[in-house]
Amino acid sequence: MNAGVVARRPLIAGNWKMHKTIAEARTLARELCALALPPQIDVVVAPPFTALAAVADELKGSRIALAAQTMHDFAHGPYTGEVSAPMLVEIGVRYVIIGHSERRAFCGESDDAVNRKVRSALANGIVPIVAVGETASEHELGETHAKVTLQTRAAFADVATDDIARCVVAYEPIWAIGTGLVDSPENASAVIAQIRACVDGLAHARILYGGSMKGDNASALMAMPQIDGGLIGGASLTAPAFAAVIDGARAKASAT
Ligand code: 13P
């Protein structure tokens, strides 16, 4: 493995989605900074754009890293409403979620756009967290493997293997997002193994599970050798709920 590649340290990332005003985001960030975080676990939060600068300010001196929920692939230009990688770097953003199923569904984010964004993030020193996952009907039809393979290969097309190893992938079955229907650890682990195998470099990358992951199911998911962490929605919106997920990763952290 290349020296610049991060080992598969456990990573717990909170995707706050379209929640939290600046004041609310500051309060949550302050509460998270007060937690005793296990040193072996990387913790990331992704507030909405409006709260990024305020949360960056609150996180100064902590080991919680800042993520954005999306970005444009160009550095600047006539793209009303968009934000670019250099703008995020200036605020202190270190990770960016790319291709979340909500953006694919509601904002028409294509596999091509995901690939352009991944390359732009890497070129600007931001770690992409690439989200892939199948719908409920694809799941029922047994098309999960085909779907995640297609999305993953497209996301990393023309990306160097060493760079791919530095990226993060989040397997988020769409039917599990916000529904309480968490995937079984065995199934999530099997799909993640397929994701790792479909692109060179992903064997060394961190691959997370996302979809109704909470304090009461985190340790079973994290016990699977293929699962390096979680991308958490609902349970990242309060400090006690997020702390419970991080607690679920402790056993894994002491094993790494
Ligand atoms: P929930 O944890 O609310 O199911 O959301 C998962 C998710 O979409 C994280 O990106």
Side-chain angles (χ1 to χ4, degrees):
M1 197 191 326
N2 179 295
V5 169
V6 182
R8 283 173 46 196
R9 276 168 62 85
L11 189 160
I12 302 293
N15 176 8
W16 296 359
K17 306 193 180 184
M18 198 172 73
H19 294 283
K20 307 291 176 190
T21 62
I22 293 174
E24 290 164 348
R26 272 194 188 276
T27 302
L28 177 54
R30 226 172 280 153
E31 290 168 356
L32 295 177
C33 287
L35 298 173
L37 298 173
Q40 310 89 330
I41 301 178
D42 288 342
V43 177
V44 172
V45 292
F49 282 138
T50 47
L52 279 175
V55 172
D57 183 39
E58 296 294 340
L59 296 182
K60 270 191 198 123
S62 86
R63 39 176 303 280
I64 303 174
L66 192 61
Q69 297 178 14
T70 185
M71 54 170 254
H72 197 273
D73 53 303
F74 285 176
H76 50 78
Y79 302 102
T80 303
E82 295 289 344
V83 171
S84 72
M87 295 169 184
L88 297 175
V89 168
E90 186 183 29
I91 291 182
V93 164
R94 293 185 30 218
Y95 295 81
V96 60
I97 301 169
I98 295 178
H100 192 283
S101 58
E102 287 150 15
R103 293 203 57 85
R104 293 180 191 257
F106 307 137
C107 308
E109 197 154 291
S110 65
D111 282 336
D112 260 8
V114 168
N115 176 245
R116 292 195 302 272
K117 291 177 187 208
V118 166
R119 288 187 282 139
S120 172
L122 287 166
N124 286 279
I126 303 180
V127 176
I129 301 175
V130 178
V132 300
E134 81 286 6
T135 63
S137 61
E138 288 163 344
H139 181 67
E140 277 152 29
L141 290 168
E143 294 172 356
T144 301
H145 183 193
K147 176 68 175 289
V148 298
T149 299
L150 196 81
Q151 287 181 323
T152 308
R153 287 197 176 135
F156 294 108
D158 300 322
V159 181
T161 307
D162 281 356
D163 283 338
I164 292 172
R166 267 185 276 278
C167 293
V168 178
V169 175
Y171 168 54
E172 297 206 309
I174 297 168
W175 50 269
I177 295 177
T179 57
L181 298 173
V182 66
D183 199 358
S184 70
E186 294 73 19
N187 190 63
S189 184
V191 176
I192 288 175
Q194 291 167 344
I195 292 171
R196 276 196 200 291
C198 80
V199 171
D200 272 358
L202 286 183
H204 302 302
R206 289 184 289 183
I207 306 191
L208 317 179
Y209 168 79
S212 297
M213 190 163 167
K214 300 188 169 38
D216 59 7
N217 56 36
S219 63
L221 286 158
M222 292 295 297
M224 306 306 291
Q226 291 289 343
I227 302 181
D228 299 319
L231 182 56
I232 320 299
S236 72
L237 296 177
T238 68
F242 198 46
V245 177
I246 295 167
D247 264 355
R250 272 176 202 270
K252 174 120 188 173
S254 28
T256 49

